[in-house]
Amino acid sequence: MTDTMRQEAEIDTAGCTDTEHDHHAYPAKGLKRWLFTTNHKDIGTLYLLFSLTMFFVGGAMAMVIRAELFQPGLQLVEPNFFNQMTTVHGLIMVFGAVMPAFTGLANWMIPMMIGAPDMALPRMNNWSFWILPFAFSLLLASLFMEGGGPNFGWTFYAPLSTTYSPPSTGLFVFAIHIMGISSIMGAINVVVTIVNMRAPGMTYMKMPLFVWTWLITAFLLIAVMPVLAGAVTMVLTDKYFGTSFFDAAGGGDPVMFQHIFWFFGHPEVYIMILPSFGIISAIIPAFSRKKLFGYSSMVYATASIAGLSFVVWAHHMFTTGMPVAAELFFMYCTMLISVPTGVKVFNWVATMWRGSLTFEVPMLFAIAFIVLFTIGGFSGLMLAITPADFQYHDTYFVVAHFHYVLVTGAIFSIMAAAYYWLPKWTGHMFDERLAHWHFWCSLISVNILFFPMHFLGLAGMPRRIPDYALQFADINAVVSIGGFLFGFSQLIFIAVLVKCIRGGEKAAAKPWEGAEGLEWTVASPAPYHTFSTPPKIDP
Amino acid sequence: MLRSLIAGIASVLFSMPLMADTMQLNMTPGVTAVSQNVYGLHMTILYICIAIGVVVFGVMFWAIFHHRKSKGAKPASFHESTKVEIIWTLIPFIILIGMAIPATKTLIAMEDTSKSDVTILVTGSQWKWHYSYFNQDVEYYSHLATSAEQISNQRQKRDNYLLEVDYPLVLPVGQKVRFLITSQDVIHSWWVPAFAVKKDANPGFINEAWTQIDKPGIYRGQCAELCGKDHGFMPIVVIAKPQAEYDDWLQKTKITQRKAREEEQRLLDMQMSLDELMALGEKTYTARCAMCHQANGEGIPGAFPALAGEGVSIDPKSKLEHISVVVHGKAGTAMQAFGPQLSLKELAAVITYERNAWGNNTGESVQAAEVQAIKNGQQL
């Protein structure tokens, strides 16, 4: 390139930047802003609102389930509809509530945490969000089809999901495909953004842990979502095109479905918890006014958990009749996961140790996360012990286990994150009193809801049954009451959000004394465009 | 000291008197050596987890109460220590090895099905279990015995609500019983907690499990894999009898089953009256068909087809096809073969009932001989 050309190019870019700046300085007005937006903050908001909506839709289904199980006998719904409720509740909470919430947080926070002006692929970002409402409309519409929606559990084991499934299965497969495409696009965006758009001086080992955990999560997503796509495609062809991947009569094997499903499904459960680890690693130091203990071991622990997640899938299927050698291998590997997970918990506790702790709502949720997620971890360790797993498998003990991990784990961390960054998003402080009510109501009710399920499982109540023997009646009544209370407690959250968006005390750029990170260097609310000039990171 | 304290708390927790009569809160030790090992494992891991929890949460809550800002706590500045981190990586690792050793031993014992005394083929199907005693010429289906009225709250529920069956599995005490487990439609899972046996029934494949029961008694379990609409209504009841009583039972059952088969053959020459067929047919339909096609024959649109006013059951030309569907089932659908499950009389009756109930009024009766002909593979 000659000098003149370079000069011209520079002038050109400069000019271009200027006009673009003028053009995009403020968001478009009305519906068009949200439909066509390529702004990471707008898309983050869309994801978060979508996830909140789905949280209530999925929650309403959980209420149907708990109402039916309130006492023995069938009173409200018939068993087939009950199965649709358990299935769609699971699918919506996994793909509609938890995953989009994390993607929303990633969109909002990752560029701001690494000092980037936006996500790397903003137009793809718009797409990856907008296909989601479409996917979930299909899934929900299938409930109104003849024969009803998917009724084969969120794990949709073949042959129940192939030969014996309702006609809406095709729609279900299509919906899953779209959700998968959305997740993969979201993940690619995160990877490209983190790898290419960090501010100068921000080395990998200087990134906030939330960015680290999301980077690892994104790789997990890219690795396993295609596996899920493969599984649902095989279900589709088995049901409609006469193949027999999962049908022994045609040379297939129904257990192969489970291997494929859980090869996706197990990393998936880490997809739903690793970003939580990042959130908690931001909040605990902030309200302890102390640096995170063992930053680098946190990174390595996260990476090893992700790595191990690929070799433990078969612990979901110890009862399918695997060879002893395989059962032993998967038992040992599964037990091993508790080591890096333990390291993380110990590091958080060590961060709190000799800190100067205050207990604002994000911190309360974070502490509740540590305690309750650890309880979920304990039951996970118990489930890893294969001979004992034979007794726990497919009972309410498992239901209790994964709800401790996913509700008081993933969802509590998402709430913690929402409260932590709400002042940054809205520019207002939230109503602390109301938020405390939300926390304490949620904490108490969620334990009334899920803790007694351990006893139900140990006493022998299988999961996914619409009716049960009389000896389970008392505890089910207690659990259902806990369920309704937890459901209603979440309405307080809506009140807090609405109040905070509409107004309230003005938030400072850094509303939390101990908070660290680039996101606190910009004003609250965060301007529509941040870091058009990259910030400087101290070496 | 700590251990006995925890054991004390746990025993109080797990035997709360107010719930004791209606509900137990912990796994049962069961009635086999294996189930007791499993129970032991379960309690050991539980205590280890409680101990770790007490230590970790203890430290954490100490920090929460004593290192508060409101109490004037000043933050320290340490933020890493390779030494501590190595220690808290190694200690859990050692604890895990301690857990893995007994778990491995128990698991290997559980999976050793060799040298068994009795073998039973367990077949799951929507939504019942079929038991077949090897080399004994004894086999039967085992159905839920709880009535629909109890389930729909129209009648008082009995004590063993949903955990009772018409024909329980009978096993001898003190013998090694091997189960071969399979399925004829979807995946089910055969689970009796008191034996610590839970094994999936996979269509097209056979799984193995075994048990050796120490104590005579009645043991109850349920299907543990989502197997469709009536997954919750597929209980398992096992009666363990002392050897002599078991032999006696086996002998009697063998004779009863043989007599029943001979009786079946005699039936072939008989003509049953329409009224008689309709009465038996209604009973059979309610017990075996109504769960899918509904008591009013209207089915569930999109899932289970209606029989009232449509399909083979109203078409006079399709009588043989109707018999064939009931006897052989319909491949690729949830309609299973009832030929092996019902007697000729019941089959004839239920098909007659379907062709005449709910205003279908074809006026035709079906006789045992016709069913037998289809069963023997006569072409339509």
Side-chain angles (χ1 to χ4, degrees):
Chain A
M1 208 190 268
T2 64
D3 275 356
T4 19
M5 272 172 81
R6 188 174 292 135
Q7 254 174 6
E8 266 173 18
E10 266 164 19
I11 292 160
D12 214 29
T13 348
C16 194
T17 326
D18 263 349
T19 36
E20 271 214 345
H21 202 261
D22 286 336
H23 185 62
H24 282 293
Y26 300 100
K29 291 266 179 299
L31 191 64
K32 271 172 103 177
R33 164 176 177 185
W34 300 103
L35 271 179
F36 302 128
T37 183
T38 54
N39 180 287
H40 74 102
K41 298 183 182 81
D42 281 355
I43 293 173
T45 306
L46 284 172
Y47 265 113
L48 288 169
L49 291 177
F50 175 76
S51 144
L52 190 64
T53 315
M54 283 297 129
F55 180 56
F56 278 94
V57 174
M61 291 172 182
M63 298 297 101
V64 174
I65 296 168
R66 281 324 316 174
E68 176 56 53
L69 292 173
F70 186 68
Q71 31 172 268
L74 293 178
Q75 33 271 328
L76 291 175
V77 296
E78 45 96 23
N80 198 41
F81 189 71
F82 181 89
N83 287 349
Q84 292 171 39
M85 287 293 106
T86 53
T87 305
V88 183
H89 163 73
L91 289 165
I92 285 194
M93 287 307 195
V94 169
F95 295 104
V98 175
M99 290 171 69
F102 282 140
T103 316
L105 291 172
N107 266 296
W108 248 106
M109 302 318 299
I110 287 177
M112 278 170 45
M113 285 177 155
I114 62 173
D118 204 316
M119 294 296 277
L121 308 163
R123 272 182 214 287
M124 188 167 88
N125 213 5
N126 175 290
W127 263 107
S128 68
F129 172 76
W130 275 111
I131 58 178
L132 269 188
F134 180 61
F136 283 90
S137 309
L138 284 183
L139 185 67
L140 289 171
S142 75
L143 286 172
F144 301 100
M145 277 180 75
E146 232 183 42
N151 59 1
F152 26 65
W154 90 275
T155 50
F156 55 105
Y157 282 179
L160 191 60
S161 60
T162 53
T163 315
Y164 299 87
S165 58
S168 61
T169 308
L171 215 54
F172 156 80
V173 169
F174 191 33
I176 295 283
H177 268 306
I178 300 171
M179 293 169 204
I181 291 169
S182 162
S183 297
I184 290 175
M185 293 203 293
I188 289 174
N189 217 342
V190 167
V191 171
V192 180
T193 306
I194 296 174
V195 171
N196 292 309
M197 296 182 65
R198 281 167 291 129
M202 177 167 282
T203 58
Y204 281 106
M205 290 313 272
K206 276 203 182 120
M207 295 192 311
L209 260 169
F210 180 70
V211 179
W212 253 118
T213 51
W214 239 113
L215 180 64
I216 293 168
T217 304
F219 277 109
L220 287 184
L221 275 165
I222 295 168
V224 300
M225 289 320 269
V227 179
L228 175 68
V232 292
T233 307
M234 285 187 258
V235 165
L236 190 79
T237 61
D238 263 19
K239 184 169 171 67
Y240 295 104
F241 302 105
T243 58
S244 41
F245 291 106
F246 309 128
D247 179 6
D253 182 350
V255 177
M256 185 178 76
F257 172 85
Q258 298 181 33
H259 282 290
I260 298 171
F261 179 82
W262 287 114
F263 188 77
F264 145 78
H266 194 77
E268 169 69 22
V269 303
Y270 289 97
I271 288 167
M272 291 189 283
I273 202 67
L274 292 186
S276 302
F277 294 163
I279 292 164
I280 301 305
S281 303
I283 292 174
I284 293 286
F287 296 94
S288 306
R289 293 165 181 78
K290 220 170 129 239
K291 271 181 85 171
L292 181 72
F293 188 88
Y295 171 89
S296 47
S297 64
M298 285 301 230
V299 172
Y300 297 130
T302 311
S304 20
I305 293 172
L308 280 170
S309 76
F310 284 103
V311 290
V312 297
W313 76 89
H315 69 216
H316 297 266
M317 27 189 305
F318 281 141
T319 62
T320 52
M322 279 184 295
V324 195
E327 285 181 335
L328 288 174
F329 170 79
F330 287 111
M331 171 168 84
Y332 298 147
C333 291
T334 306
M335 292 169 77
L336 220 50
I337 292 188
S338 62
V339 174
T341 314
V343 167
K344 299 192 84 86
V345 174
F346 299 144
N347 280 348
W348 290 323
V349 174
T351 308
M352 290 165 73
W353 189 252
R354 291 183 54 206
S356 170
L357 276 60
T358 51
F359 302 93
E360 287 87 345
V361 177
M363 181 64 163
L364 289 176
F365 270 104
I367 292 171
F369 169 94
I370 299 179
V371 175
L372 300 175
F373 173 77
T374 305
I375 292 177
F378 286 147
S379 54
L381 180 60
M382 294 172 77
L383 282 158
I385 308 292
T386 313
D389 176 83
F390 290 145
Q391 292 284 48
Y392 309 139
H393 180 76
D394 262 327
T395 68
Y396 266 79
F397 191 81
V398 176
V399 179
H401 160 70
F402 69 72
H403 281 94
Y404 262 87
V405 179
L406 288 175
V407 179
T408 60
I411 290 181
F412 268 32
S413 80
I414 292 166
M415 304 244 171
Y419 282 117
Y420 185 55
W421 284 307
L422 208 49
K424 181 57 59 189
W425 298 337
T426 63
H428 306 128
M429 297 307 285
F430 52 82
D431 184 334
E432 185 84 16
R433 238 169 68 102
L434 211 53
H436 266 90
W437 271 100
H438 174 226
F439 170 73
W440 287 107
C441 289
S442 298
L443 179 76
I444 294 165
S445 59
V446 87
N447 283 292
I448 302 175
L449 168 57
F450 295 123
F451 201 75
M453 285 187 181
H454 291 110
F455 300 128
L456 280 178
L458 294 175
M461 179 165 160
R463 61 192 278 215
R464 291 163 163 168
I465 56 175
D467 193 8
Y468 47 84
L470 298 179
Q471 80 247 34
F472 305 127
D474 296 354
I475 295 193
N476 267 298
V478 172
V479 166
S480 288
I481 291 169
F484 303 137
L485 291 178
F486 183 68
F488 284 117
S489 306
Q490 302 323 305
L491 298 175
I492 310 176
F493 186 48
I494 299 283
V496 179
L497 288 180
V498 170
K499 242 182 123 174
C500 184
I501 291 168
R502 291 178 133 191
E505 191 196 326
K506 276 253 161 264
K510 192 173 114 172
W512 315 115
E513 193 195 343
E516 272 192 55
L518 288 175
E519 75 264 35
W520 308 111
T521 60
V522 300
S524 296
Y528 201 57
H529 293 287
T530 41
F531 302 122
S532 348
T533 330
K536 264 218 157 74
I537 315 289
D538 299 330
Chain B
M1 170 61 195
L2 183 66
R3 202 191 147 109
S4 63
L5 182 74
I6 295 165
I9 294 170
S11 68
V12 172
L13 203 68
F14 289 128
S15 55
M16 278 197 284
L18 74 162
M19 301 241 197
D21 52 336
T22 48
M23 165 88 216
Q24 124 242 351
L25 299 174
N26 196 7
M27 192 188 278
T28 64
V31 289
T32 67
V34 163
S35 72
Q36 275 143 23
N37 281 344
V38 170
Y39 176 77
L41 264 177
H42 159 69
M43 292 314 284
T44 316
I45 332 161
L46 182 64
Y47 288 141
I48 292 175
C49 288
I50 291 174
I52 298 174
V54 167
V55 173
V56 175
F57 301 149
V59 172
M60 193 173 134
F61 281 102
W62 177 273
I64 289 174
F65 287 115
H66 292 270
H67 302 153
R68 302 173 160 251
K69 196 187 177 200
S70 56
K71 283 195 164 185
K74 293 269 172 289
S77 63
F78 66 90
H79 59 84
E80 61 189 351
S81 160
T82 316
K83 208 196 295 170
V84 212
E85 289 182 70
I86 289 176
I87 291 173
W88 68 39
T89 311
L90 281 182
I91 292 178
F93 196 73
I94 293 163
I95 297 176
L96 287 185
I97 294 174
M99 287 185 198
I101 293 169
T104 307
K105 276 190 200 146
T106 309
L107 182 64
I108 290 173
M110 284 176 107
E111 298 290 343
D112 177 17
T113 52
S114 63
K115 300 201 193 84
S116 58
D117 307 302
V118 178
T119 297
I120 290 168
L121 176 68
V122 178
T123 311
S125 70
Q126 287 176 321
W127 290 278
K128 58 191 105 29
W129 295 99
H130 179 260
Y131 300 114
S132 167
Y133 290 69
F134 264 41
N135 307 323
Q136 297 292 348
D137 224 12
V138 168
E139 58 167 313
Y140 52 87
Y141 282 88
S142 176
H143 291 89
L144 174 72
T146 303
S147 68
E149 288 81 13
Q150 286 182 60
I151 294 174
S152 58
N153 305 312
Q154 287 161 328
R155 201 180 286 169
Q156 185 75 33
K157 294 178 173 48
R158 288 193 297 231
D159 278 354
N160 285 315
Y161 176 68
L162 295 186
L163 293 178
E164 49 193 352
V165 297
D166 50 1
Y167 296 102
L169 176 66
V170 179
L171 295 178
V173 164
Q175 297 256 48
K176 186 166 182 176
V177 181
R178 179 171 63 139
F179 301 109
L180 301 180
I181 300 172
T182 186
S183 162
Q184 62 160 0
D185 39 49
V186 302
I187 297 172
H188 304 271
S189 193
W190 199 81
W191 178 35
V192 179
F195 308 159
V197 172
K198 184 185 283 156
K199 201 60 122 176
D200 286 3
N202 299 321
F205 295 84
I206 293 177
N207 271 334
E208 284 185 288
W210 69 275
T211 192
Q212 183 164 347
I213 308 160
D214 295 336
K215 233 171 58 192
I218 301 175
Y219 305 108
R220 299 173 197 275
Q222 282 181 273
C223 174
E225 180 60 68
L226 176 63
C227 56
K229 184 169 82 68
D230 284 357
H231 166 52
F233 306 104
M234 215 180 141
I236 296 154
V237 179
V238 178
I239 300 185
K241 293 179 189 254
Q243 189 66 40
E245 280 180 45
Y246 168 77
D247 289 337
D248 195 41
W249 172 86
L250 196 64
Q251 223 38 48
K252 275 192 191 136
T253 312
K254 235 186 260 187
I255 294 167
T256 329
Q257 293 206 336
R258 196 179 58 233
K259 280 203 180 127
R261 281 194 294 272
E262 287 164 5
E263 177 66 23
E264 283 271 277
Q265 294 309 306
R266 257 200 300 281
L267 257 177
L268 294 178
D269 306 328
M270 276 173 36
Q271 282 285 76
M272 285 171 77
S273 75
L274 189 64
D275 286 346
E276 200 184 343
L277 285 165
M278 286 297 281
L280 176 62
E282 183 170 7
K283 214 174 117 212
T284 315
Y285 182 86
T286 311
R288 301 287 175 258
C289 315
M291 55 177 71
C292 294
H293 296 290
Q294 307 297 297
N296 57 13
E298 277 166 16
I300 299 175
F304 306 106
L307 303 174
E310 62 179 83
V312 287
S313 45
I314 52 159
D315 181 2
K317 286 184 299 242
S318 306
K319 183 167 135 185
L320 293 182
E321 190 188 335
H322 188 179
I323 300 173
S324 173
V325 169
V326 176
V327 168
H328 298 303
K330 203 164 184 177
T333 72
M335 180 65 194
Q336 46 187 275
F338 283 89
Q341 302 186 28
L342 299 173
S343 68
L344 291 176
K345 200 157 106 180
E346 286 169 321
L347 286 165
V350 81
I351 299 165
T352 307
Y353 178 74
E354 286 171 2
R355 299 185 76 73
N356 292 288
W358 323 295
N360 282 356
N361 302 332
T362 55
E364 297 166 312
S365 67
V366 175
Q367 297 296 334
E370 292 170 274
V371 178
Q372 175 70 5
I374 299 280
K375 227 177 151 178
N376 287 346
Q378 193 204 67
Q379 293 301 307
L380 298 180

